Amino acid sequence: MLFASLKSASETSASTKSRRSILSGAIVRRAMLNSFLKLNPVTMAHNPVMFVVEVGSVLTTILLILNALNHRGHTGFNLQITLWLWFTVLFANFAEAMAEGRGKAQADALRLAKSETTAYRVSKSGIEQVASSLLRSGDVVRVTTGQMIPGDGEVIEGIASVDESAITGESAPVIREAGGDRSAVTGGTRVLSDVITVKITSNPGETFLDRMIALVEGAERQKTPNEIALNILLAGLTIIFLLAVVTLQPFAIYSGAPQSVFVLVSLLVCLIPTTIGGLLSAIGIAGMDRLVQHNVLATSGRAVEAAGDVNTLLLDKTGTITLGNRQASEFVAAPGVSDEQLADAAQLSSLPDETPEGRSIVVLAKERYGLRGRELGQLNAEFIPFSATTRMSGIDLEGRSIRKGAVDAISKYLVEQGSQLPDEVRGSVEQIARSGGTPLVVAENGRALGVIHLKDIVKGGMRERFDQLRAMGIRTIMITGDNPLTAAAIAREAGVDDFLAEAKPKDKMDLIRREQSEGKLVAMTGDGTNDAPALAQADVGVAMNSGTQAAKEAGNMVDLDSNPTKLIEIVAIGKQLLMTRGALTTFSISNDVAKYFAIIPAMFAGVFPVLNSLNIMHLRTPESAILSAIIFNALIIITLVPLALRGVKYRPSSAAALLQRNLIVYGLGGIIVPFIGIKLIDMLITAIHLV
Amino acid sequence: MTLNGWLQIAIFFALVLLSAKPMGSYMTRVFERRKTFLDPVLRPVERLLYRATGVREGEEMRWTEYASSMLIFSLVTMLLTFAVERLQHLLPLNPQHLPAVAPDLAWNTAVSFTTNTNWQAYSPESTMSYLTQMLGLATHNFWSAAVGLALAIAFIRGIARREMKTLGNFWVDLTRGTLWVLLPISIVFALVLVSQGVVQNLRPYDTVQLLEPQKVTATGADGKMTTTAVTTQTIAQGPVASQEAIKMLGTNGGGFFNANSSHPFENPTPLTNFLQMLSIFLIPAGLTFTLGQMVGSPKHGWAVFAAMSVLWFAGVLTCYWAEAQPNPLLHGVDQRASITQAGGNMEGKEVRFGIANSALFATVTTDASCGAVNSMHDSFTPLGGLVPLTNILLGEIIFGGVGAGMYGMLIFVVLSVFIAGLMVGRTPEYLGKKIESKDVQLAMLYLLIFPFVILGFTAISVQAPSFGLSSLANHGPHGLSEILYAYTSATGNNGSAFAGLNANTHWYNASLGIAMFVGRFCMLIPMLAIAGNLAAKKSIPASAGTFPVTTPLFSILLVGVILIVGALTFFPALALGPILEHLLMLSGHSF
């Protein structure tokens, strides 16, 4: 149910979906509660910036109480400062709780799919019934129509259609069969027809579903390398500003203008990077969450980060760059033969041919020459199926004998019929082969009629996507089993940067190693067992959910939709995650300029009225200035929660262009926005007489 | 501000710009041990030195070995200077029969010259013998500059090298920097200075009769007024030119005389003044080109040069503007610049240099960690004095000290790349090297030490009436500026004094000595560790997705990060110091 909605949200409507879930009442309520629970200092200590704010809040609270007991100080002002300090901490906790909340809701839904079922274990003595939770790796179970598959495993016998919607959200059933690349089954999915025997491959608590729940819930969340580095930067800046504020008091005393602890803590909290400090973990969790919304599961945050860093994408030709099958694109008639004649013969010979290639010939003839498909039964024809010896197929009817096949097969056939392949036809054959197509020669009654051009069809929009990737500095390499000539032609048409032709699994592995030795990060998709080593070697290895268990274990991501093109989106999500962190860090640091101009004059204008000339925002009173700054500082965290959860706007373009755009928006914006914000808050709180 | 003033500033910058490439590519050749035109003379000397000291030329060092060699060398030479100072009354070349230097001052001075700071808590002509000046101090002018140069080259190698554990050989870099870069230029420069009237002798001081005897009235300890007639003047002598050249070229700044570069024997003419300023920037500006060349991206070198130039220009503009303004406290006095007067604030400035060249000198000497002065920074207007102070507070990275400016700037580059690098959607990388948590950790440590020492000591001093405030000549915000400037100058290894503070006390000698020591050596270690870490990394080939470090946008970003991270740390202190003083001056108060 849940993943059904995720499924629909993927690709086009991901942003609308995320907006909807941000506003979901239940998640918000739960997050509000959690913001208080997270005040526990042991939890807070993981976030040095917010920990300092919490310590400051505790300090001012204690002082507030002491002052109240002794009837000292401007209680109203100090109380407001203290409250806003607490709000700052709570808002940061709320951001994190919101990000976690969405994952928790998903995990709850997944747990429903993980209900206990009865397994039918095959043993020496026959079939015994056991609880699914007692199954161990290596057990063999039989699953029949209507039953839930009790655990992850591999089909070792039989073929069945399986409903995997609990995992993938896709309602159409999929075929799972013994042997080959479609043998993996997942616990919690249901067999719709037939019987299969499954060898269980995972122990309780380690199943795919368990891993998925842990992942979306963020239970195993560890800080990623980038997050650690950023945290160090933020901690360092916090110490520097702590130093600036702590030493300010002696300077202030020297100058005859000592400051209250409330004001000093306010200055400190405004200066340390609370915006990014408060939102950092929310950004990381939301990044993983965005992947889940695209129906991709990453085993770690590290993998998501690596996706942003990818330099080289290895894409399989078939299914990723081109549509799965070749299609007829053209009829090239021999001299003296009309195109219609050739099309007619080609269509006739393909009528019984149920392969996608055969059907595309029928369709092309209909579209180009208006030849409607005829019913085989009415024609009284005999179909000659493709055989390995003749390597031709065709049809015999009413004195017409039509054959089609590869050039050498037909040419041999013609010679047997006492004829031969005209040079013109041979020329067309070569031309088609050079352009990357597959030529099929058609002959009727011992005479060559011409050639059908079968073409690999590049998926729509791929060239544009590769252009975007190139702009981002990512090189795409197409992997294909085709010969170099064909591969080059398709590579040219699709607009990939490079190709690996006649690729064997080892070649793929070598390519990855070569790229990595140059310091590059490589991403690839795969589904077969022979892809597993390469998936493991790649920095980002996305296994198709339809693939084998080995592939799924080797990669660090699984695409539940089994859509290889999604690799491009995964890269985008990784980049967006990193960009969001960078943008908010820059914004947070830039904010300090305005806060200085609010607080420093407010601190000292009482003793040195001349310092009011630094009060360029013309804030009403020293109290209103300090309060406005601290309120702005708290509110900006909550204001930016949606941005942190959704990620900054991402347009594929070069690093230089991205830097320029983001520096203007978040750097320059970060300098200007607080000047406006603090001024507005000052006007508001003065108007309602808070100070 | 006059057209003449601006023209001189423009010519100065043009020459810095023109010299950067030849100087930079020459240094690349020297440190990559390629052929230079001086090889026939210097190679035999170099080989002889290695043979005598047992240095193996081809041996490479890891960052830890490089750092420990540098520390041992600095420590030994520091002790040598300390010994010479303490024993100068027993040693030759002491025609004035000056006594041994006091222990705390000797420590302070030894640290000061070893760290390329050249903070002088004493009057050289009445404290240091000729031998001390030559053997104890001038040698350090060469060595400390060569050490800085070697360290910068080691850092650049760290960026340029791939998957290597070593950064070069400290002893070789030190030797080549001294022999090929510092010595030849200093010899030529010293001769030019002599031609302009800078003295070079070992004679005792001259005593001359005053044409107009002066009467001086003083109040004695018993409260009685005594008047003495002064009829003679002592004119100090010494081997000045040889020390003056390296004092500027090596961004040392320790004057042979107390008056430093405003003394006519150190800096007699506008031409020597111009050349002195130029020689401060000669090596640091050249190093930007060396950086570009050695990392294989000349444009990156120029981008760093551009960022430095922008900050330099902002400083000159502010300082020159502030000093050329009429003093608002003087009413009804003609203070406009004209044929007969310089106009503006001429207090503490030499008439032969005027406003423009004093403002430019003050900016240049504090941009680079030189610290030589040709005017008294203490007498600048508050905003004019804010410029030298801010220049040092930014970390001496605006061209900066020989070598030290380059590696200091590169730390800021690493930090800028890290902060903004994420915004292009990749793990931050600098010239193909990923900037990871260890690099950030070390860079933050480097950045932290600096304000920690400056703000910490200043805070202690302003809260200590007995030993901190008692040295102050002025009170109020100006007094705060004086103490802040002293610790800033020491920690930044600049060495210029704001003056107005008697720093020759136990507290200031000791604490400023610690500040200089920490500001140099404790910051070097994380810096070298980053270099070692970077050298070991793989290098990712550049692509359209690579963070651009060669564009004007990068220069702007770098300037922004330096100003926000560097200046914001000190904004509260500056607000209560020079900024408050300026505002109070406008309302009629002065200190």
Side-chain angles (χ1 to χ4, degrees), chain A residues 416-467:
Chain A
E416 281 164 15
Q417 300 280 316
S419 161
Q420 65 175 21
L421 197 69
D423 287 345
E424 290 83 354
V425 174
R426 200 171 283 282
S428 321
V429 164
E430 274 164 20
Q431 207 178 345
I432 290 168
R434 256 203 310 282
S435 74
T438 310
L440 271 187
V441 185
V442 182
E444 183 174 342
N445 298 344
R447 172 174 167 235
L449 291 182
V451 194
I452 307 170
H453 184 168
L454 286 180
K455 207 173 158 185
D456 256 323
I457 304 295
V458 174
K459 282 185 180 173
M462 290 313 281
R463 178 174 272 278
E464 289 70 35
R465 304 193 76 162
F466 294 141
D467 287 345

Coordinates of all heavy atoms in Angstrom, one line a residue, chain A residues 416-467:
Chain A
E416 N 22.0 -22.2 -54.1 CA 21.4 -23.5 -54.2 C 20.2 -23.4 -55.2 O 20.0 -24.4 -56.0 CB 20.8 -23.9 -52.9 CG 21.8 -24.5 -51.9 CD 21.3 -24.6 -50.5 OE1 20.0 -24.4 -50.3 OE2 22.1 -24.7 -49.6
Q417 N 19.5 -22.2 -55.3 CA 18.4 -22.1 -56.2 C 18.9 -21.7 -57.6 O 18.1 -21.4 -58.5 CB 17.5 -21.0 -55.7 CG 16.9 -21.2 -54.3 CD 15.7 -22.2 -54.4 OE1 14.9 -22.1 -55.2 NE2 15.7 -23.2 -53.5
G418 N 20.3 -21.7 -57.8 CA 20.8 -21.4 -59.1 C 20.8 -19.9 -59.4 O 20.9 -19.5 -60.6
S419 N 20.8 -19.1 -58.4 CA 20.9 -17.6 -58.6 C 22.0 -17.1 -57.7 O 22.7 -17.8 -57.1 CB 19.5 -17.1 -58.2 OG 19.6 -15.7 -57.9
Q420 N 22.0 -15.8 -57.6 CA 23.0 -15.2 -56.7 C 22.6 -13.8 -56.2 O 21.7 -13.2 -56.8 CB 24.4 -15.2 -57.3 CG 24.5 -14.3 -58.5 CD 26.0 -14.2 -58.9 OE1 26.8 -15.1 -58.7 NE2 26.3 -13.2 -59.7
L421 N 23.2 -13.4 -55.2 CA 22.9 -12.1 -54.5 C 23.4 -11.0 -55.4 O 24.7 -10.9 -55.7 CB 23.5 -12.0 -53.1 CG 22.9 -11.0 -52.2 CD1 21.5 -11.4 -51.8 CD2 23.8 -10.9 -50.9
P422 N 22.6 -10.0 -55.8 CA 23.1 -8.9 -56.7 C 24.0 -8.0 -55.9 O 23.9 -7.9 -54.6 CB 21.8 -8.1 -57.0 CG 20.7 -9.0 -56.7 CD 21.1 -9.9 -55.6
D423 N 25.0 -7.4 -56.5 CA 26.0 -6.6 -55.9 C 25.3 -5.4 -55.1 O 25.8 -5.0 -54.1 CB 27.0 -6.0 -56.9 CG 28.0 -7.2 -57.3 OD1 28.0 -8.2 -56.6 OD2 28.6 -7.0 -58.3
E424 N 24.3 -4.9 -55.8 CA 23.6 -3.7 -55.1 C 23.0 -4.1 -53.8 O 23.1 -3.3 -52.8 CB 22.4 -3.2 -56.0 CG 22.8 -2.5 -57.3 CD 23.1 -3.5 -58.4 OE1 23.1 -4.8 -58.2 OE2 23.4 -3.1 -59.6
V425 N 22.4 -5.3 -53.7 CA 21.9 -5.8 -52.4 C 23.0 -5.9 -51.4 O 22.9 -5.5 -50.3 CB 21.1 -7.1 -52.6 CG1 20.7 -7.6 -51.2 CG2 19.9 -6.9 -53.5
R426 N 24.1 -6.5 -51.9 CA 25.3 -6.7 -51.0 C 25.8 -5.3 -50.5 O 26.1 -5.2 -49.3 CB 26.4 -7.4 -51.8 CG 27.4 -8.1 -50.9 CD 28.4 -8.9 -51.6 NE 27.8 -10.2 -52.0 CZ 27.7 -11.3 -51.2 NH1 28.1 -11.2 -50.0 NH2 27.2 -12.4 -51.7
G427 N 25.7 -4.3 -51.4 CA 26.1 -3.0 -51.0 C 25.2 -2.4 -49.9 O 25.7 -1.9 -48.9
S428 N 23.9 -2.6 -50.1 CA 23.0 -2.1 -49.0 C 23.2 -2.8 -47.7 O 23.2 -2.2 -46.6 CB 21.5 -2.4 -49.4 OG 21.3 -2.2 -50.8
V429 N 23.5 -4.1 -47.8 CA 23.8 -4.9 -46.6 C 25.0 -4.3 -45.8 O 24.9 -4.1 -44.6 CB 24.0 -6.4 -46.9 CG1 24.7 -7.1 -45.7 CG2 22.8 -7.1 -47.3
E430 N 26.0 -4.0 -46.5 CA 27.2 -3.5 -45.9 C 26.9 -2.1 -45.3 O 27.4 -1.8 -44.2 CB 28.4 -3.4 -46.9 CG 29.1 -4.7 -47.0 CD 30.0 -4.8 -48.2 OE1 30.3 -3.7 -48.8 OE2 30.3 -5.9 -48.6
Q431 N 26.2 -1.3 -46.0 CA 25.9 0.0 -45.6 C 25.1 0.0 -44.2 O 25.4 0.7 -43.3 CB 25.1 0.7 -46.6 CG 25.3 2.2 -46.6 CD 24.4 2.9 -47.7 OE1 24.0 2.3 -48.6 NE2 24.3 4.2 -47.5
I432 N 24.1 -0.9 -44.2 CA 23.3 -1.0 -43.0 C 24.2 -1.5 -41.8 O 24.1 -1.0 -40.7 CB 22.1 -2.0 -43.2 CG1 21.1 -1.4 -44.2 CG2 21.4 -2.4 -41.9 CD1 20.1 -2.3 -44.7
A433 N 25.0 -2.5 -42.1 CA 25.9 -3.0 -41.0 C 26.8 -1.9 -40.5 O 27.0 -1.8 -39.3 CB 26.7 -4.2 -41.5
R434 N 27.3 -1.1 -41.4 CA 28.2 0.0 -41.0 C 27.5 1.0 -40.1 O 28.1 1.6 -39.2 CB 28.8 0.7 -42.2 CG 30.3 0.3 -42.5 CD 31.0 1.4 -43.3 NE 30.2 1.8 -44.5 CZ 30.2 1.1 -45.6 NH1 30.8 0.0 -45.7 NH2 29.5 1.5 -46.7
S435 N 26.2 1.2 -40.4 CA 25.5 2.3 -39.6 C 25.0 1.7 -38.3 O 24.3 2.4 -37.6 CB 24.3 2.7 -40.4 OG 23.3 1.7 -40.4
G436 N 25.4 0.5 -38.0 CA 25.1 -0.1 -36.7 C 23.8 -0.9 -36.7 O 23.4 -1.4 -35.7
G437 N 23.2 -1.0 -37.9 CA 22.0 -1.8 -37.9 C 22.2 -3.3 -38.2 O 23.4 -3.7 -38.5
T438 N 21.2 -4.1 -38.2 CA 21.3 -5.5 -38.6 C 20.5 -5.7 -39.9 O 19.3 -5.4 -40.0 CB 20.7 -6.4 -37.5 OG1 21.2 -6.0 -36.3 CG2 20.9 -7.8 -37.8
P439 N 21.2 -6.1 -41.0 CA 20.5 -6.3 -42.2 C 19.8 -7.7 -42.3 O 20.5 -8.7 -41.9 CB 21.5 -6.1 -43.3 CG 22.8 -6.4 -42.6 CD 22.6 -6.3 -41.1
L440 N 18.6 -7.8 -42.8 CA 18.0 -9.1 -43.0 C 17.6 -9.1 -44.5 O 16.9 -8.2 -45.0 CB 16.7 -9.2 -42.2 CG 16.7 -9.7 -40.8 CD1 15.2 -9.9 -40.4 CD2 17.4 -11.0 -40.8
V441 N 18.1 -10.1 -45.2 CA 17.8 -10.1 -46.7 C 16.5 -10.9 -46.9 O 16.3 -12.0 -46.3 CB 19.0 -10.7 -47.4 CG1 18.8 -10.7 -48.9 CG2 20.3 -10.0 -47.1
V442 N 15.7 -10.4 -47.8 CA 14.5 -11.1 -48.2 C 14.6 -11.7 -49.6 O 15.0 -10.9 -50.5 CB 13.3 -10.2 -48.1 CG1 12.0 -10.9 -48.4 CG2 13.2 -9.6 -46.7
A443 N 14.2 -12.9 -49.8 CA 14.3 -13.5 -51.2 C 12.9 -14.2 -51.4 O 12.3 -14.7 -50.5 CB 15.4 -14.5 -51.3
E444 N 12.5 -14.1 -52.7 CA 11.3 -14.8 -53.1 C 11.5 -15.6 -54.4 O 12.0 -15.0 -55.3 CB 10.2 -13.8 -53.3 CG 8.8 -14.4 -53.6 CD 7.7 -13.4 -53.7 OE1 7.8 -12.3 -53.3 OE2 6.7 -13.8 -54.3
N445 N 11.2 -16.8 -54.3 CA 11.4 -17.8 -55.4 C 12.8 -17.6 -56.1 O 12.9 -17.4 -57.3 CB 10.3 -17.5 -56.5 CG 8.9 -17.7 -55.9 OD1 8.8 -18.4 -54.9 ND2 7.9 -17.2 -56.6
G446 N 13.8 -17.7 -55.2 CA 15.1 -17.7 -55.7 C 15.6 -16.3 -56.2 O 16.7 -16.2 -56.9
R447 N 14.9 -15.3 -55.9 CA 15.4 -13.9 -56.3 C 15.4 -13.0 -55.1 O 14.5 -12.9 -54.3 CB 14.4 -13.4 -57.4 CG 14.6 -12.0 -57.8 CD 13.6 -11.7 -58.9 NE 13.5 -10.3 -59.1 CZ 12.4 -9.5 -59.1 NH1 11.3 -10.1 -58.8 NH2 12.5 -8.3 -59.3
A448 N 16.5 -12.3 -55.0 CA 16.7 -11.4 -53.8 C 15.8 -10.1 -54.1 O 15.9 -9.5 -55.1 CB 18.1 -11.0 -53.7
L449 N 14.9 -9.8 -53.1 CA 14.0 -8.7 -53.2 C 14.6 -7.4 -52.6 O 14.4 -6.3 -53.0 CB 12.7 -8.9 -52.6 CG 11.8 -10.0 -53.2 CD1 10.5 -10.1 -52.4 CD2 11.5 -9.7 -54.6
G450 N 15.5 -7.6 -51.6 CA 16.0 -6.4 -51.0 C 16.4 -6.7 -49.5 O 16.4 -7.9 -49.1
V451 N 16.6 -5.7 -48.8 CA 17.0 -5.8 -47.4 C 16.1 -5.1 -46.4 O 15.6 -4.0 -46.7 CB 18.5 -5.2 -47.3 CG1 19.1 -5.7 -46.0 CG2 19.3 -5.6 -48.4
I452 N 15.9 -5.7 -45.3 CA 15.2 -5.0 -44.2 C 16.2 -4.5 -43.2 O 17.2 -5.2 -42.8 CB 14.2 -6.0 -43.4 CG1 13.3 -6.7 -44.3 CG2 13.5 -5.2 -42.3 CD1 12.6 -7.9 -43.7
H453 N 16.1 -3.3 -42.9 CA 17.1 -2.6 -41.9 C 16.5 -2.8 -40.5 O 15.5 -2.1 -40.2 CB 17.2 -1.2 -42.3 CG 18.3 -0.5 -41.5 ND1 18.7 0.8 -41.8 CD2 18.9 -0.8 -40.3 CE1 19.6 1.2 -40.9 NE2 19.7 0.2 -40.0
L454 N 17.1 -3.6 -39.7 CA 16.7 -3.7 -38.3 C 17.6 -2.9 -37.5 O 18.8 -2.9 -37.6 CB 16.8 -5.2 -37.8 CG 15.8 -6.2 -38.3 CD1 16.1 -7.6 -37.7 CD2 14.4 -5.8 -37.9
K455 N 17.0 -2.1 -36.6 CA 17.8 -1.1 -36.0 C 17.6 -1.1 -34.5 O 16.5 -1.4 -34.0 CB 17.3 0.3 -36.5 CG 18.3 1.4 -36.4 CD 17.7 2.6 -37.1 CE 18.4 3.8 -36.6 NZ 17.8 5.0 -37.1
D456 N 18.7 -0.9 -33.7 CA 18.5 -0.7 -32.3 C 17.9 0.7 -32.1 O 18.5 1.7 -32.6 CB 19.9 -0.7 -31.6 CG 20.2 -2.0 -30.9 OD1 19.2 -2.5 -30.4 OD2 21.3 -2.5 -31.0
I457 N 16.8 0.8 -31.4 CA 16.2 2.1 -31.2 C 16.7 2.7 -29.8 O 16.5 2.1 -28.8 CB 14.7 1.9 -31.2 CG1 14.2 1.2 -32.5 CG2 14.0 3.3 -31.0 CD1 14.5 2.0 -33.7
V458 N 17.3 3.8 -30.0 CA 17.8 4.5 -28.8 C 16.5 5.2 -28.1 O 15.7 5.8 -28.8 CB 18.8 5.6 -29.1 CG1 19.1 6.4 -27.9 CG2 20.0 5.0 -29.7
K459 N 16.5 4.9 -26.8 CA 15.3 5.5 -26.1 C 15.2 7.0 -26.2 O 16.3 7.7 -26.3 CB 15.5 5.2 -24.6 CG 15.2 3.7 -24.2 CD 15.3 3.6 -22.7 CE 14.9 2.3 -22.2 NZ 15.2 2.1 -20.7
G460 N 14.0 7.5 -26.2 CA 13.8 8.9 -26.4 C 14.5 9.7 -25.2 O 14.5 9.2 -24.1
G461 N 15.0 10.8 -25.6 CA 15.6 11.7 -24.5 C 16.9 11.3 -24.0 O 17.5 12.0 -23.1
M462 N 17.5 10.2 -24.5 CA 18.8 9.7 -23.9 C 19.9 10.7 -24.2 O 20.7 11.0 -23.4 CB 19.1 8.3 -24.4 CG 18.3 7.2 -23.8 SD 18.0 7.3 -22.0 CE 19.5 6.7 -21.4
R463 N 19.9 11.2 -25.5 CA 21.0 12.1 -25.9 C 21.0 13.3 -25.0 O 22.1 13.7 -24.5 CB 20.8 12.5 -27.3 CG 21.8 13.4 -27.9 CD 21.6 13.6 -29.4 NE 22.4 12.7 -30.2 CZ 23.7 12.8 -30.4 NH1 24.4 13.8 -30.0 NH2 24.3 11.8 -31.2
E464 N 19.9 13.9 -24.7 CA 19.8 15.1 -23.8 C 20.4 14.7 -22.5 O 21.1 15.5 -21.9 CB 18.4 15.6 -23.7 CG 17.8 16.2 -25.0 CD 17.5 15.2 -26.1 OE1 17.1 14.0 -25.7 OE2 17.7 15.5 -27.3
R465 N 20.0 13.6 -22.0 CA 20.5 13.2 -20.6 C 22.0 13.0 -20.6 O 22.6 13.5 -19.7 CB 19.8 11.9 -20.1 CG 18.3 12.0 -20.2 CD 17.6 10.9 -19.4 NE 17.7 11.2 -18.0 CZ 17.0 10.6 -17.1 NH1 16.1 9.7 -17.5 NH2 17.1 10.8 -15.9
F466 N 22.5 12.5 -21.7 CA 24.0 12.3 -21.7 C 24.6 13.7 -21.8 O 25.7 13.9 -21.3 CB 24.4 11.4 -22.8 CG 23.9 9.9 -22.6 CD1 23.4 9.2 -23.7 CD2 23.9 9.4 -21.4 CE1 23.0 7.9 -23.5 CE2 23.5 8.1 -21.2 CZ 23.0 7.3 -22.2
D467 N 24.0 14.6 -22.6 CA 24.6 15.9 -22.7 C 24.6 16.6 -21.3 O 25.6 17.2 -20.9 CB 23.7 16.8 -23.6 CG 23.9 16.4 -25.1 OD1 24.9 15.6 -25.3 OD2 23.1 16.7 -25.9

